[in-house]
């Protein structure tokens, strides 16, 4: 078997659900978030940033492992998810666009249930099956 046929897709689409778990639509169009896969360079950059932040906190606290505050953690997750997000489909957040849109959206605590959906989706390589890439 040729292992190259087993490679994960480069991107994936998340059909966003409301807080009750029902898929969202804008009219008849699905509300989706398009993300880079866990095997992407963008995802690798996020993992490196997470490690660097943890080491920085440890160095600043005399080698003790310390957790970020709730607000710091929320903003860090927002920054990380913004880096791996490619696009929003049929979803806006005020007049923001691009990376500013993604970061503001993910940082909004009242939309945390969607942030959780994206985080969960990214954690499962099965969501990036070969041939499932979004163009």
């Amino acid at each position: 078997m040729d292992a190259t046929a087993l490679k994960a897709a480069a991107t994936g689409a998340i059909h966003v659900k409301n807080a009750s778990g029902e898929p969202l639509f804008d009219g008849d169009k699905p509300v989706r978030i398009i993300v880079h896969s866990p095997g992407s360079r963008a995802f690798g950059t996020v993992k490196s940033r997470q490690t660097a932040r943890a080491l920085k906190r440890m160095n600043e606290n005399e080698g003790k492992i310390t957790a970020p505050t709730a607000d710091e953690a929320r903003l860090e997750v927002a920054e990380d998810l913004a880096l791996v997000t490619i696009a929003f489909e049929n979803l806006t957040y005020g007049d923001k666009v691009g990376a500013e849109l993604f970061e503001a959206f993910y940082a909004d605590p009242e939309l945390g249930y969607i942030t959780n959906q994206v985080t969960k989706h990214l954690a499962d390589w099965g969501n990036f099956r070969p041939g499932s890439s979004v163009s």
Side-chain angles (χ1 to χ4, degrees):
M1 172 180 247
D2 182 1
T4 60
L6 302 174
K7 290 183 178 183
T11 62
I14 304 160
H15 191 155
V16 179
K17 297 175 182 158
N18 65 19
S20 299
E22 300 158 337
L24 291 173
F25 291 88
D26 182 17
D28 62 345
K29 298 178 280 188
V31 174
R32 301 188 327 160
I33 297 175
I34 311 303
V35 293
H36 291 285
S37 79
S40 69
R41 185 178 307 263
F43 198 86
T45 298
V46 166
K47 288 299 184 187
S48 293
R49 287 172 47 123
Q50 290 170 341
T51 300
R53 284 193 301 250
L55 290 172
K56 182 178 182 223
R57 270 196 281 282
M58 202 162 84
N59 286 335
E60 290 173 350
N61 291 290
E62 301 171 5
K64 296 176 187 170
I65 297 173
T66 56
T69 66
D71 285 339
E72 288 170 337
R74 183 174 39 78
L75 294 176
E76 289 172 1
V77 167
E79 289 173 8
D80 293 347
L81 292 180
L83 281 175
V84 296
T85 298
I86 298 167
F88 283 179
E89 292 181 351
N90 309 309
L91 181 64
T92 60
Y93 189 85
D95 61 353
K96 298 185 180 336
V97 296
E100 182 184 22
L101 160 66
F102 307 147
E103 198 167 323
F105 179 89
Y106 293 129
D108 188 329
E110 293 177 15
L111 294 171
Y113 63 95
I114 297 174
T115 299
N116 287 350
Q117 290 173 47
V118 175
T119 301
K120 183 177 177 183
H121 187 90
L122 287 165
D124 184 353
W125 279 84
N127 291 320
F128 300 90
R129 290 180 303 280
S132 66
S133 186
V134 178
S135 47

